[in-house]
Amino acid sequence: MPRYGKIVVIKRNGTDGTVFPLTSTSCLFGRKTGCDLRVRLPWVSNEHCKIEINENKEAVLTNLSTVNPTQLNGACFEQPVPLKHGDVLTIIDRSFRFEYPLQSTPKKRLSRSPKDETLQQVAGVELLHKQTSGAKNLDAS
């Protein structure tokens, strides 16, 4: 079963809650029983928003509610928006973080010099550190 990322429920105290893996190319949020992620609040629309995976394997968020629009990173949006790793979507007072699976890229060996290998490893660790610290900042907000 392919994974297209995951949705992490952000609890009211800011900590991570339940994690829902995205194993389908569509995920519907709303109050209706047929929704993939149900939010049982009277102000939530039956079909509030959806995440769809397009042909380029990008996750795209679409707002479906005109009364209480979905917010992305604290801002309202009108047109479908591509999601990035760490984006936070909010429905009324419930927040969810989108996490995209890190793609493993094959390491290319440019030369046999140990110096080159060290530089590549350091760059990889720095990139991983930046991504991790960005996710921590979202948790704290």
Side-chain angles (χ1 to χ4, degrees):
M1 203 180 293
R3 285 192 61 186
Y4 300 103
K6 59 186 174 182
I7 301 296
V8 180
V9 175
I10 301 173
K11 295 180 182 181
R12 291 177 193 219
N13 65 8
T15 62
D16 288 357
T18 308
V19 176
F20 297 96
L22 292 175
T23 55
S24 174
T25 56
S26 180
C27 180
L28 183 62
F29 293 73
R31 199 176 67 230
K32 190 168 71 171
T33 53
C35 290
D36 300 302
L37 266 81
R38 286 188 71 196
V39 181
R40 296 180 186 178
L41 292 174
W43 308 279
V44 174
S45 298
N46 284 332
E47 294 183 351
H48 205 92
C49 66
K50 66 180 174 179
I51 296 175
E52 291 184 305
I53 309 301
N54 66 17
E55 63 277 354
N56 297 325
K57 296 195 178 182
E58 297 172 317
V60 178
L61 176 65
T62 303
N63 177 55
L64 302 173
S65 175
T66 55
V67 178
N68 292 307
T70 306
Q71 293 185 355
L72 180 62
N73 299 321
C76 293
F77 60 96
E78 293 187 22
Q79 299 298 318
V81 178
L83 290 173
K84 298 181 300 295
H85 177 75
D87 278 346
V88 175
L89 61 113
T90 304
I91 300 172
I92 311 297
D93 66 345
R94 302 290 198 264
S95 293
F96 307 87
R97 186 176 61 250
F98 172 74
E99 294 184 357
Y100 197 76
L102 296 175
Q103 307 241 340
S104 58
T105 54
K107 292 185 179 182
K108 293 182 181 178
R109 191 171 194 148
L110 301 175
S111 72
R112 295 187 178 261
S113 165
K115 181 180 176 184
D116 288 341
E117 285 183 24
T118 304
L119 290 175
Q120 288 175 352
Q121 290 172 0
V122 169
V125 170
E126 184 178 332
L127 177 61
L128 180 61
H129 175 70
K130 285 181 181 175
Q131 289 174 344
T132 302
S133 64
K136 287 180 184 173
N137 288 339
L138 286 174
D139 290 343
S141 59

